[in-house]
């Protein structure tokens, strides 16, 4: 367990979890030991978490002067940690009350921040107050829970000034998205992880919003404010208000989550935060679903949008994107249920089509060339027939033709272990492949975009005869074969590039 010396010689401890670029993490509570953060829902798979035990908590020493527990005085401890780690700029993540400390740090040391991530943050340092009505409205969302009546009664008594220690245990289920065994254990550990004296001094006289807010409005670093759908402290509305203070602020609301979103849905949490922290990844909202995407090339160059297949991600296009970026502005996004985008749990080719439509509109890409592999190719031709003129040119790479399969696919068996995509994608789309909507093929003749269909040849599992007939049905479409199997652009990238360049994509 590493330690360092604070400005007043108090010995402070931190814990390292995971690998990768360091991410300094400030706990909430207030003044709760950092152990409750765990591995932040698996975020440690992509970042090395530096979990700071604030003075007087966890493995850090108790200071000689208890007045140093005050939030604004803890800013110097964070700066001492940065110096100890030898980092010129830091990625800083803070939870709950710890977000007040992070906001004060950002106001005092803006040049030291590379990114700022605020998880279900207290907004008090910015002068935004959580109201009793916020808490009541959030609680009302849990009306169907068996513990709701007791929790609401205790919450109301607490809001009326009742004793915290007696009432809080009954209120606590409202702070979790799921009040299951894991949540109960997490909650039970709180008392032994929190310093009561430090907690009582944390907020006292620490905030000056009139000075802090102007500084936050000038912060150059990107900021993510993540709220839980069921959380009242802050509610999604208050989190949005906080995010709006920052010139490069964005907000996200995690569905089904309370005050500890990494416990309620670890995957959703880690994907959202990992996408934000990755400087090569951007995000847009499409019908309430967050879509992560990557960009290459000059902004003024002709746009090309690359669509991955089932089980893939935008990263499968890296080689092709880098080649095309010499002459094009290249976009590749992760469909819902894939990569770093949201995994909402329900999927269809039509929903993937809608993802593409929303992405093109969000990025003002009408007229772009769209290249779709497999599942992405289906999404592309479904959109091209539905909204003629939206897609400039269309390239379909070894995509299913939505004709009934001669041998229906059997029920899919989920493999063991973690995957990079949401498993329901497979059974949901297999069902459509086994019993496709005939309207999809009947409307192929309505496609107006110049179209190239690329087949993978004899080693592909896609029926190449059907693929050729798909090209014959689309007015003016060309069909070429690249003997590569189904993964044409990854197996034979040079041949794939030659094929699309012969189509005019230079």
């Amino acid at each position: 367990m590493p330690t360092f010396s604070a400005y007043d010689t108090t010995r402070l401890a931190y814990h390292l979890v995971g690998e990768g670029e360091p991410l300094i993490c400030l706990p909430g509570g207030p003044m709760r030991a950092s152990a409750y953060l765990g591995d932040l829902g698996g975020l440690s798979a992509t970042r090395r978490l530096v979990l700071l035990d604030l003075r007087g908590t966890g493995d850090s020493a108790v200071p000689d002067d208890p007045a140093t527990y005050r939030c604004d005085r803890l800013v110097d401890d964070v700066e001492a940690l940065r110096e100890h780690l030898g980092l010129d700029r830091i990625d800083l993540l803070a939870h709950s009350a710890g977000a007040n400390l992070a906001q004060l740090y950002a106001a005092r040391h803006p040049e030291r921040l590379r990114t700022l991530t605020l998880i279900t943050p207290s907004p008090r340092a910015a002068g935004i107050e959580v109201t009793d009505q916020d808490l009541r409205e959030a609680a009302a969302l849990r009306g169907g829970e068996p513990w709701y009546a007791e929790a609401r009664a205790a919450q109301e008594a607490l809001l009326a000034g009742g004793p915290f220690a007696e009432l809080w245990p009954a209120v606590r289920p409202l702070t979790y998205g799921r009040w299951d065994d894991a949540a109960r254990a997490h909650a039970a550990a709180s008392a032994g992880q929190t310093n009561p004296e430090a907690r009582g001094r944390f907020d006292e006289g620490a905030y000056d919003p009139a000075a802090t807010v102007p500084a936050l409005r000038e912060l150059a670093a990107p900021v993510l404010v993540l709220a839980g759908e069921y959380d009242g402290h802050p509610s999604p509305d208050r989190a949005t208000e906080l995010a709006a203070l920052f010139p490069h602020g964005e907000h996200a609301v995690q569905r089904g989550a309370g005050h500890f979103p990494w416990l309620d849905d670890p995957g959703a949490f880690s994907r959202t935060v990992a996408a934000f922290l990755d400087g090569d990844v951007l995000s847009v909202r499409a019908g309430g679903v967050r879509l992560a995407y990557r960009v290459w090339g000059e902004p003024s160059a002709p746009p090309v949008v690359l669509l991955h297949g089932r089980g893939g991600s935008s990263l499968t296009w890296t080689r092709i994107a880098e080649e095309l970026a010499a002459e094009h502005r290249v976009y590749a996004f992760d469909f819902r249920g894939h990569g770093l985008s949201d995994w909402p749990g329900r999927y269809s080719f039509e929903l993937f089509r809608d993802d593409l439509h929303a992405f093109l509109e969000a990025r003002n890409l009408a007229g772009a060339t769209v290249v779709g592999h497999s599942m992405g190719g289906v999404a592309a031709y479904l959109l091209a027939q539905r909204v003629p003129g939206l897609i400039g040119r269309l390239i379909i790479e070894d995509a299913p033709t939505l004709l009934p399969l001669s041998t229906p696919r059997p029920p899919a068996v989920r493999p063991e272990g973690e995957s990079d995509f949401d498993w329901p994608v497979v059974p949901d789309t297999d069902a459509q492949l086994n019993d496709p909507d005939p309207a999809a093929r009947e409307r192929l003749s309505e496609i107006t975009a110049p179209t190239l269909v690329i087949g993978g040849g004899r080693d592909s599992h896609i029926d190449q005869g059907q693929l050729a007939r798909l090209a014959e049905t689309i007015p003016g479409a060309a069909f070429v074969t690249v003997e590569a199997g189904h993964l044409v652009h990854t197996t034979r990238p040079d041949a794939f590039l030659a094929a699309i360049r012969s189509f005019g994509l230079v």
Side-chain angles (χ1 to χ4, degrees), residues 49-242:
L49 308 183
V50 182
L51 306 174
L52 176 63
D53 283 341
L54 299 174
R55 55 179 56 215
T57 72
D59 292 310
S60 288
V62 173
D64 293 333
D65 181 2
T68 61
Y69 288 137
R70 205 173 74 175
C71 183
D72 57 337
R73 299 188 66 176
L74 296 174
V75 170
D76 290 334
D77 290 350
V78 180
E79 178 63 1
L81 175 58
R82 181 197 65 77
E83 293 177 348
H84 165 74
L85 295 173
L87 300 173
D88 181 56
R89 295 195 301 158
I90 59 173
D91 295 312
L92 183 63
L93 178 148
H95 172 242
S96 190
N100 288 315
L101 173 55
Q103 291 165 61
L104 296 183
Y105 182 87
R108 196 181 302 175
H109 300 286
E111 76 286 355
R112 295 304 185 186
L113 278 181
R114 185 163 58 184
T115 64
L116 177 61
T117 305
L118 304 177
I119 306 302
T120 57
S122 169
R124 290 190 67 183
I128 299 171
E129 292 298 328
V130 172
T131 68
D132 291 354
Q133 188 61 24
D134 290 335
L135 298 172
R136 291 186 179 105
E137 289 177 357
L141 299 175
R142 318 303 299 282
E145 300 285 358
W147 42 260
Y148 173 75
E150 181 184 3
R152 269 294 288 127
Q155 181 189 58
E156 207 56 49
L158 191 61
L159 294 175
F164 179 87
E166 294 180 18
L167 295 169
W168 184 246
V171 176
R172 183 164 267 152
L174 291 169
T175 65
Y176 292 86
R178 295 191 312 271
W179 188 237
D180 55 14
D181 289 344
R184 289 184 177 90
H186 189 263
S190 176
Q193 295 170 338
T194 303
N195 181 330
E197 180 185 8
R199 180 187 183 109
R201 293 177 177 268
F202 183 80
D203 290 319
E204 197 173 67
Y207 308 124
D208 181 6
T212 301
V213 170
L216 297 183
R217 292 191 186 279
E218 297 295 323
L219 186 65
V223 179
L224 172 66
V225 180
L226 190 152
E229 178 186 9
Y230 297 150
D231 195 17
H233 202 294
S235 67
D237 286 346
R238 296 291 162 264
T240 302
E241 190 178 345
L242 178 61

Side-chain angles (χ1 to χ4, degrees), residues 308-312 335-338 345-353 355 373-379 381-382 399-405 407-412 421-437 461-462 486:
H308 65 80
R310 188 172 82 175
F335 281 107
R336 66 180 64 204
H338 294 77
R346 289 180 56 253
Y347 305 98
S348 69
F349 289 117
E350 290 77 15
L351 288 172
F352 297 132
R353 173 202 65 197
D355 285 348
H373 172 239
S374 193
M375 180 190 81
V378 176
Y381 70 67
L382 289 179
T401 58
L402 297 188
L403 288 166
L405 299 175
T407 303
R409 295 189 177 187
F421 69 98
D422 196 9
W423 174 251
V425 169
V426 174
D428 286 357
T429 53
D430 276 357
Q432 287 190 279
L433 292 171
N434 286 339
D435 186 21
D437 181 357
H461 68 273
I462 299 295
H486 185 55

